[in-house]
Amino acid sequence: MIAILCPGQGAQTPGMLAPWLELPEVAASLASLSEAAGVDIVRHGTESDADTIRDTAIAQPLLVATAIATGRALLGGTAPALAAGHSVGELGAAALAGVLTDADAMRLVAVRGAAMARAAASSEATSMAAVLGGDAAEVAAALATHGLTPANVNGGGQVVAAGAKAAIDALLAEPPVRARVIELQVAGAFHTTYMIPAVADLDAAAAEVSPGEPAGVLLSNADGAQVADGADALARIVRQVANPVRWDLCMETMLSLGVTGIVEVAPGGVLTGLAKRAMKGVPSVALKTPDDLAAARELLETAA
């Protein structure tokens, strides 16, 4: 079984779509996805600078469109045997798995990104920081001491803390023993109670969608569970905005199901990096440019 993974916010880089536009099917897909989202995906993926694509309202549609377009280029008309996405990547995974149409995924991510940007702007100053290494119990205690939420538990010794900017600053000043703390360039404390206002907006948009049933195994990053019902998958995507991501549990589920390989769709690299530490021995391919498609297809053929 080969898992198809969709990365989350922070994976975007300036100019990342330029090589993909050389594939006519990807260019056409991105144009259609741009129209559905009301965001110029092609321009932001080729011309916009790092500060522009860091904007939550732009970054999220850009990432989901890139995941869908490059996933389709890899898979053609077939659905993945297993799909999962980190944070906003869940919308890309849901589209590839057949739970959402591509257009619905883009309409939802446009609402999600804009709503989360508004929620971040309306609260006190908040931030997020990656905590790398250290003893898990000591890291958890340090976060609790500062009133921070473990917003992303990513496995491989990586936890992302989120909360008030002053609390993140305090964590940076006094990191847990044997741990590095790196502040992330994000607009606010995602996957925490600070995002509750955004949940209502996304829930209203989701009410207009008729989800399908997953064509293969679809994992929820709330708890790593297999989600067999389309309505449940959509409800989980809505709730996830204000709740932590448990990517560590997704990787545990993949191992328990006997996943034999991983392909991370563009902009690949983050999730395959985590898998190399937490899923040792499982081969992986990260789609960074179209040159990586051949290796990804070869990996897919091993499970055919």
Side-chain angles (χ1 to χ4, degrees):
M1 179 187 290
I2 306 299
I4 304 298
L5 307 182
C6 302
Q9 197 164 339
Q12 72 275 9
T13 57
M16 67 185 192
L17 286 180
W20 290 100
L21 293 176
E22 297 175 10
L23 300 182
E25 68 272 25
V26 173
S29 177
L30 290 169
S32 176
L33 295 168
S34 293
E35 184 176 353
V39 176
D40 191 341
I41 301 297
V42 172
R43 179 171 65 84
H44 288 306
T46 56
E47 300 176 13
S48 294
D49 61 18
D51 285 339
T52 300
I53 63 173
R54 189 179 295 127
D55 180 345
T56 303
I58 293 171
Q60 293 192 12
L62 174 61
L63 285 162
V64 172
T66 301
I68 291 172
T70 60
R72 299 281 181 218
L74 172 67
L75 297 166
T78 64
L82 184 150
H86 188 288
S87 187
V88 73
E90 278 203 323
L91 283 162
L96 294 176
V99 170
L100 300 173
T101 66
D102 293 354
D104 280 341
M106 293 308 299
R107 283 189 283 267
L108 289 174
V109 75
V111 171
R112 185 186 192 274
M116 290 176 72
R118 286 194 299 272
S122 65
S123 70
E124 64 176 306
T126 59
S127 188
M128 303 178 79
V131 183
L132 309 175
D135 176 79
E138 291 180 3
V139 169
L143 267 56
T145 295
H146 294 295
L148 295 167
T149 298
N152 300 164
V153 183
N154 287 330
Q158 183 186 117
V159 175
V160 176
K165 179 69 167 66
I168 291 291
D169 288 343
L171 185 67
L172 287 163
E174 293 186 42
V177 176
R178 297 184 302 280
R180 287 192 302 135
V181 180
I182 303 170
E183 188 168 12
L184 304 181
Q185 298 300 309
V186 294
F190 302 145
H191 301 294
T192 70
T193 54
Y194 287 99
M195 292 294 110
I196 287 175
V199 173
D201 290 344
L202 186 57
D203 191 37
E208 304 298 318
V209 173
S210 297
E213 302 306 305
V217 176
L218 179 65
L219 302 187
S220 168
N221 68 41
D223 53 11
Q226 299 181 59
V227 185
D229 177 76
D232 182 31
L234 183 55
R236 283 169 172 264
I237 286 170
V238 172
R239 294 195 302 270
Q240 180 240 29
V241 167
N243 286 283
V245 171
R246 292 299 306 269
W247 191 251
D248 59 331
L249 299 181
C250 288
M251 290 192 289
E252 287 181 13
T253 300
M254 284 187 268
L255 287 172
S256 71
L257 292 173
V259 163
T260 56
I262 290 168
V263 176
E264 183 182 1
V265 297
V270 174
L271 301 182
T272 48
L274 291 171
K276 285 174 182 176
R277 293 191 292 274
M279 300 177 66
K280 294 184 186 298
V282 177
S284 62
V285 176
L287 292 185
K288 298 179 180 180
T289 74
D291 291 341
D292 299 312
L293 284 170
R297 288 168 178 151
E298 185 176 346
L299 186 58
L300 284 173
E301 288 172 3
T302 66

